[in-house]
Amino acid sequence: MQTLIPGGDLAGREPLRRFGSELRSRREEQGMSLRKLARLVAYSPGWLSRIENAAAAPTIKLAELCDRALLAGGELIALARDAEPAPVTHSVLPAQLPRPVSPFVGRTAEFRTLDRIHSRASLDGRGLTVAIDGPPGVGKTALVTGWAGAASHAFGDGVLYEDLQGYSSRGAPLDPAAVLKAFLFALGVSERVIPEGIQQRSAMFRTLVSDRRMLVVLDNAADSHQVAPLLPGAGTCSVVVTSRRRMSGIAARSGAFRIALEPMSPGESLELLALVVGRERVRAEIEGARALVLRCAGLPLALRAAAERLTASRHRSLGGLAQELAGPGDADARLDLLTGGDGLTVRESFEASYHQLDAESSRAFRLLGQMPGEVVGTADAAALLRRPKAQTRRLLEVLIGVNLLAEVGPDQYLMDGPLALFAEGRAVAEGPFSVRLAQEASG
Ligand SMILES: Nc1ncnc2c1ncn2[C@@H]1O[C@H](COP(=O)(O)OP(=O)(O)OP(=O)(O)O)[C@@H](O)[C@H]1O
Ligand SMILES: [Mg+2]
């Protein structure tokens, strides 16, 4: 038995070579083109060519299909067994998706987009690569777990999932080397043969998943550096990455399709309230419900927390909660009215992003929160921040890049709802104009 680490020892490649040359000679004996064989076995010609050239490992499934198509009488299957990677000590079908959000509302356009990209990629014999970004609590995890759960039949070789904790109140972002170790383990690789180096782990991971119909969900990524070693190669394995940050690095490197997830529409927001609080209660207090939706600015995290607060007490009215959120009063205390069932407040969720900002950007964030619900342009923002226009533009870009500010049109920026309330709370606590002294000195 041999390992299949790319660039591994020559002896390790010998079974791959034997399989590849047997496949080629049987195909050529039958006068069959790569393209025709690819059609018969539903793999891409490019992939079969890599296998014929011993640049990739055949799975038993692929060997069975080729064996049947070329009437090889089991010869190809036997050779593929010889070429099986030794590290895989047992065969497992990972199914790591967390429980989907329930009740789940809306997102039909995003489901359709994901379906479309997925079927287009499948037709080309490739896996899909999608990067979803959006503000804290907008529903990225809910979307990907909902869609992947519904589409799981398309991923016959299983689903790998990891919360990379890129923006988490629970701790630092996960080390990709540790994530690779967990993935390899989940794929059946015995711990004792998992290599030490991150590059070797990454190569082994890519080898093992390259021609599987598998989905890898990399949830809550910090940035593209964290994600890069975890990306499958160019085979049939699919990957969906979610992050609060726009992942332009991944898009540039692997041609990922980007979905910028936006807050829910007022209709979807009302539906979410109705499903948790009860349709009757929402109907009886529709104006209060609309006011609450406005306060939550379509952010499902906030809507769900508000709904849970309302279900905890039948005497609290929807309009009353909307009014409490509107103030006046201490911004942090108002925001803490929104506490989810898991005890995590909306404020704590935002804090994970806020703490990653440098001093100038967090100052800009606090100041922009002084104009909640108002669309501002660069010139207005420059006056508010008391910074030159070019610097202001850069600061706005930083905030947009981590989805702490919405870009709602050309040179139109908006901070609204719970996020603006959070900014107000930070301004009260830290002073809106303050910048850490060290930063002032260096700037
Ligand atoms: N489509 C939806 N239908 C119903 N509830 C939803 C939906 N999307 C999100 N939610 C609710 O909002 C909460 C937050 O959503 P989710 O965790 O998916 O946000 P996120 O964008 O992944 O946040 P983070 O940036 O913190 O990772 C969920 O726990 C759920 O209660
Ligand atoms: Mg998430």
Side-chain angles (χ1 to χ4, degrees):
M1 288 291 206
Q2 309 293 337
T3 60
L4 289 176
I5 304 166
D9 59 320
L10 286 176
R13 295 211 155 263
E14 196 43 44
L16 291 191
R17 243 178 250 131
R18 277 203 297 274
F19 182 91
S21 72
E22 182 70 18
L23 179 65
R24 175 174 287 135
S25 58
R26 283 190 177 266
R27 180 176 64 72
E28 286 174 350
E29 254 168 44
Q30 306 216 3
M32 193 185 284
S33 67
L34 253 186
R35 195 163 288 280
K36 173 142 190 231
L37 179 61
R39 247 197 329 274
L40 287 175
V41 298
Y43 280 74
S44 72
W47 187 249
L48 291 182
S49 159
R50 291 191 66 196
I51 286 181
E52 285 191 351
N53 291 315
T59 55
I60 299 297
K61 201 165 89 192
L62 181 141
E64 283 170 350
L65 291 167
C66 291
D67 198 281
R68 204 173 314 138
L70 297 169
L71 307 170
E75 175 80 39
L76 286 171
I77 301 172
L79 285 173
R81 287 207 200 289
D82 282 347
E84 264 192 314
V88 179
T89 53
H90 56 282
S91 160
V92 273
L93 196 69
Q96 299 186 330
L97 271 186
R99 192 180 273 277
V101 160
S102 173
F104 186 88
V105 174
R107 302 309 194 191
T108 43
E110 286 79 9
F111 265 55
R112 265 204 303 274
T113 305
L114 284 163
D115 283 341
R116 211 180 47 239
I117 312 167
H118 181 228
S119 34
R120 204 181 304 147
S122 307
L123 278 178
D124 296 345
R126 289 182 293 112
L128 83 161
T129 309
V130 176
I132 302 174
D133 70 271
V138 78
K140 302 177 290 295
T141 302
L143 170 65
V144 70
T145 52
W147 178 77
S152 62
H153 60 276
F155 304 108
D157 292 323
V159 181
L160 291 171
Y161 171 93
E162 189 64 79
D163 175 356
L164 298 180
Q165 296 186 20
Y167 297 84
S168 167
S169 48
R170 282 181 288 143
L174 294 191
D175 175 0
V179 178
L180 281 167
K181 185 174 183 181
F183 279 170
L184 289 170
F185 192 63
L187 289 167
V189 180
S190 125
E191 215 172 329
R192 91 195 134 74
V193 289
I194 294 178
E196 270 310 306
I198 184 163
Q199 277 171 5
Q200 288 77 8
R201 283 184 186 178
S202 180
M204 186 187 255
F205 175 65
R206 288 197 303 276
T207 306
L208 289 177
V209 298
S210 60
D211 69 342
R212 295 194 193 197
R213 306 249 164 219
M214 177 175 260
L215 174 66
V216 180
V217 178
L218 303 172
D219 196 15
N220 197 10
D223 52 32
S224 33
H225 298 296
Q226 186 191 27
V227 163
L230 306 172
L231 292 176
T236 49
C237 184
S238 294
V239 59
V240 181
V241 182
T242 82
S243 179
R244 292 182 179 183
R245 181 187 290 273
R246 287 188 186 185
M247 305 288 278
S248 25
I250 299 185
R253 194 170 321 176
S254 55
F257 189 93
R258 174 181 175 225
I259 295 181
L261 193 60
E262 297 195 347
M264 287 181 162
S265 68
E268 287 172 334
S269 304
L270 278 176
E271 180 65 10
L272 176 49
L273 281 184
L275 286 173
V276 183
V277 174
R279 212 167 281 287
E280 280 312 306
R281 205 167 157 191
V282 167
R283 207 173 286 150
E285 241 206 286
I286 189 67
E287 283 317 312
R290 289 209 176 102
L292 189 54
V293 162
L294 213 63
R295 285 286 137 219
C296 293
L299 197 71
L301 176 71
L303 287 159
R304 177 76 202 220
E308 276 169 20
R309 189 166 193 88
L310 290 161
T311 45
S313 160
R314 292 213 58 81
H315 304 295
R316 191 183 285 272
S317 75
L318 281 78
L321 181 55
Q323 251 170 28
E324 279 185 84
L325 284 169
D330 178 67
D332 276 352
R334 282 189 278 144
L335 195 53
D336 283 349
L337 293 169
L338 303 175
T339 302
D342 53 6
L344 186 77
T345 62
V346 171
R347 186 163 60 88
E348 284 163 325
S349 166
F350 292 165
E351 254 160 18
S353 283
Y354 177 71
H355 287 317
Q356 294 196 8
L357 294 175
D358 62 50
E360 267 292 332
S361 322
S362 63
R363 174 184 178 275
F365 174 77
R366 290 193 297 277
L367 284 167
L368 289 162
Q370 313 276 302
M371 302 180 78
E374 273 184 60
V375 174
V376 295
T378 310
D380 312 312
L384 183 70
L385 305 190
R386 300 185 195 162
R387 293 289 186 257
K389 246 172 126 178
Q391 188 188 358
T392 302
R393 198 169 296 119
R394 278 197 302 277
L395 290 167
L396 294 174
E397 273 163 16
V398 169
L399 296 178
I400 291 162
V402 291
N403 283 292
L404 286 179
L405 181 69
E407 189 177 19
V408 293
D411 197 36
Q412 293 182 335
Y413 310 100
L414 175 72
M415 195 182 294
D416 202 10
L419 201 55
L421 195 53
F422 173 73
E424 189 186 328
R426 304 287 45 79
V428 170
E430 299 172 37
F433 288 97
S434 68
V435 180
R436 262 176 258 138
L437 282 176
Q439 196 74 19
E440 291 272 54
S442 66

